[in-house]
Amino acid sequence: MENLFNILFVSVFPGNILLSYFLGMCSFIAVSRNMSTATGLGLAVVFVMTLTTPVNWLVYHYLLAPGALTWAGLPDVDLNYLTFITFIAVIAALVQSVEMIIDRFSPTLYTALGVFLPLIAVNCAILGAALFMVEREYSFSESIVYGFGSGLGWMLAIVTMSALRLKMRYSDVPQGLQGFGIAMIVSGLLAMTFMLFSGMST
Amino acid sequence: MSLVRSKSYKAFKAALWGNNPISKQILGICSSLAVTVQLKTAIVMALSLTLVTGFSNLLVSMLRNYIPRNIRIIAELVIIASLVIVADQILKAFFYDISKQLSVFVGLIITNCIVMGRAEAYAMANPPVPSFFDGLGNGLGYGIVLLSVAFIRELLGSGKLFGIQIVPDAFYTAGYSNMGLLVLAPGAFIVIGLLVWLQNTISTEKNTY
């Protein structure tokens, strides 16, 4: 239990997938101009990541890992090299079906998240979380917590960033630094504050 | 032929400076910064990305008249993912140590927006040869930014270049110390912000004179 809590804490703060591994930067810069869209995209990422990381865990451990096909009577088969293409296909398929399910059952949620869902399929953070899950050899329950924590950390970062950019509209930024330049420097400062939490993890 | 060559050349050159993928198009920053702690990993990453972008543009462009419009994203993803798998397997076979250091970031080339962005924006509408050069140019433009960031971070952050100590020991005994912040994630953000500032300043000066 303590282990799970630790994974959650690390993935939200000191090991934030956006601010310390630079994943999902494109949408982070592009969508953080407006706070409500940032929140919408953040929610969608939490949702999709909590779903795709465990599903990819199952796919990896029952289909792709060396010796994973033992249950099918094929203990010598190693499909490890198909990891990337399978993960991306699983993510794209899940995002598509989640979109359709939400559209059918909750039109309000669909209007809030709908536009962002297709964007998410190519968000590096989602694939990144799945690959880190394999690399760090998480168990199934750990992968659920990790997926949720990473999504939450990503959302926290993008919402904070959008609030900061709102404030920045009234500040006098040097001409060459406006836009992308200042956004990167502010994210650097933000990354520093998130890093301060690393003393608290065990 | 000369027309094709000039078009290829233009696409290649624009990507290096004026329309640099990272600093001007704001694409592909995703995985780029994580590998810039050392020059060695940055070079390997830049090379793999250049090759993947070049060949994915070439293949997408060759197939552009056969790919149905509404499933083009998936078709592009499959092409890119296959190329990345090839790159990853080559790295694992010949440069095992570096591939361990790059860890998941080779795989993340798939979702790197440059590759996808160029396939969508250029290769779907242009013949194979210019597309190939556009891909190479964009990969190299990305590589230049990556290498400059890595150069600054490795030199000031750990006093080394390519793992060889550059800052003499006499400096350390005289009280110089490495800037630890640059090795950490925030350093990368700040360095790239400053580099973009520098590039913008230089280009606007050129325009006014």
Side-chain angles (χ1 to χ4, degrees):
Chain A
M1 200 57 219
E2 197 182 321
N3 175 31
L4 291 183
F5 185 75
N6 199 28
I7 288 180
L8 181 69
F9 183 80
V10 169
S11 57
V12 176
F13 291 109
N16 189 294
I17 198 154
L18 178 72
L19 293 170
S20 61
Y21 294 103
F22 313 102
L23 298 178
M25 286 295 300
C26 307
S27 29
F28 173 71
I29 298 289
V31 185
S32 64
R33 286 198 189 92
N34 181 318
M35 208 156 163
S36 57
T37 36
T39 319
L41 183 67
L43 278 177
V45 167
V46 176
F47 193 67
V48 169
M49 229 186 229
T50 319
L51 210 67
T52 52
T53 316
V55 170
N56 274 328
W57 189 93
L58 290 176
V59 169
Y60 184 76
H61 286 268
Y62 288 103
L63 287 177
L64 299 173
L69 281 170
T70 318
W71 57 267
L74 299 164
D76 297 329
V77 176
D78 177 5
L79 294 178
N80 207 1
Y81 65 94
L82 286 177
T83 306
F84 298 151
I85 207 165
T86 320
F87 278 9
I88 200 85
V90 167
I91 291 169
L94 264 178
V95 167
Q96 192 73 58
S97 38
V98 163
E99 195 186 346
M100 289 190 300
I101 292 168
I102 293 183
D103 188 24
R104 170 71 183 76
F105 291 106
S106 169
T108 31
L109 191 62
Y110 183 75
T111 40
L113 293 185
V115 274
F116 300 115
L117 282 170
L119 268 180
I120 286 178
V122 286
N123 187 323
C124 346
I126 312 280
L127 181 65
L131 292 174
F132 272 126
M133 171 271 294
V134 171
E135 168 124 336
R136 295 178 187 165
E137 295 171 348
Y138 284 143
S139 70
F140 184 63
S141 50
E142 282 169 346
S143 78
I144 300 176
V145 173
Y146 178 70
F148 176 68
S150 303
L152 199 65
W154 198 90
M155 180 179 168
L156 198 63
I158 194 172
V159 172
T160 320
M161 185 66 188
S162 64
L164 286 172
R165 287 183 92 162
L166 207 64
K167 283 271 176 202
M168 258 177 350
R169 251 182 238 170
Y170 305 103
S171 45
D172 187 16
V173 179
Q175 225 225 320
L177 200 56
Q178 275 167 13
F180 181 49
I182 192 71
M184 289 311 278
I185 290 180
V186 169
S187 346
L189 298 176
L190 197 60
M192 250 185 261
T193 55
F194 271 65
M195 203 155 264
L196 294 180
F197 288 97
S198 56
M200 281 170 69
S201 59
T202 44
Chain B
M1 191 60 206
S2 70
L3 187 96
V4 172
R5 199 172 287 154
S6 72
K7 199 177 178 189
S8 313
Y9 177 71
K10 242 182 237 162
F12 186 74
K13 201 184 130 205
L16 284 186
W17 177 267
N19 199 17
N20 185 292
I22 292 190
S23 58
K24 290 287 158 135
Q25 305 173 42
I26 320 191
L27 285 179
I29 346 162
C30 319
S31 50
S32 67
L33 295 175
V35 296
T36 54
V37 179
Q38 290 175 333
L39 264 175
K40 207 167 65 181
T41 47
I43 285 184
V44 175
M45 185 70 180
L47 277 181
S48 352
L49 190 111
T50 308
L51 291 179
V52 170
T53 328
F55 282 103
S56 82
N57 262 11
L58 181 70
L59 288 174
V60 169
S61 170
M62 280 159 74
L63 295 172
R64 71 185 190 283
N65 296 327
Y66 304 100
I67 299 175
R69 208 93 206 118
N70 41 0
I71 60 154
R72 67 183 192 288
I73 306 254
I74 293 178
E76 286 162 13
L77 266 181
V78 171
I79 293 175
I80 296 168
S82 324
L83 286 167
V84 170
I85 291 174
V86 172
D88 183 52
Q89 297 290 327
I90 291 176
L91 283 180
K92 271 191 187 139
F94 295 105
F95 306 98
Y96 187 71
D97 293 339
I98 295 180
S99 101
K100 264 269 156 313
Q101 276 178 333
L102 286 174
S103 73
V104 304
F105 293 102
V106 179
L108 286 169
I109 295 178
I110 298 174
T111 48
N112 192 314
C113 335
I114 294 180
V115 192
M116 196 69 182
R118 290 329 288 176
E120 266 288 281
Y122 199 92
M124 283 306 276
N126 287 286
V129 177
S131 301
F132 182 63
F133 281 99
D134 177 79
L136 283 189
N138 273 285
L140 286 179
Y142 168 94
I144 289 175
V145 177
L146 216 61
L147 291 184
S148 342
V149 177
F151 179 80
I152 297 174
R153 285 181 79 189
E154 196 178 359
L155 184 63
L156 300 181
S158 45
K160 294 173 182 168
L161 285 179
F162 294 105
I164 302 160
Q165 195 175 340
I166 293 289
V167 179
D169 284 328
F171 275 43
Y172 290 106
T173 44
Y176 173 85
S177 64
N178 289 324
M179 195 174 170
L181 176 68
L182 283 180
V183 184
L184 300 174
F189 283 109
I190 294 172
V191 167
I192 204 159
L194 295 175
L195 282 178
V196 170
W197 189 9
L198 185 72
Q199 198 200 1
N200 281 344
T201 317
I202 296 173
S203 353
T204 45
E205 262 172 16
K206 261 188 191 156
N207 292 341
T208 45
Y209 287 128

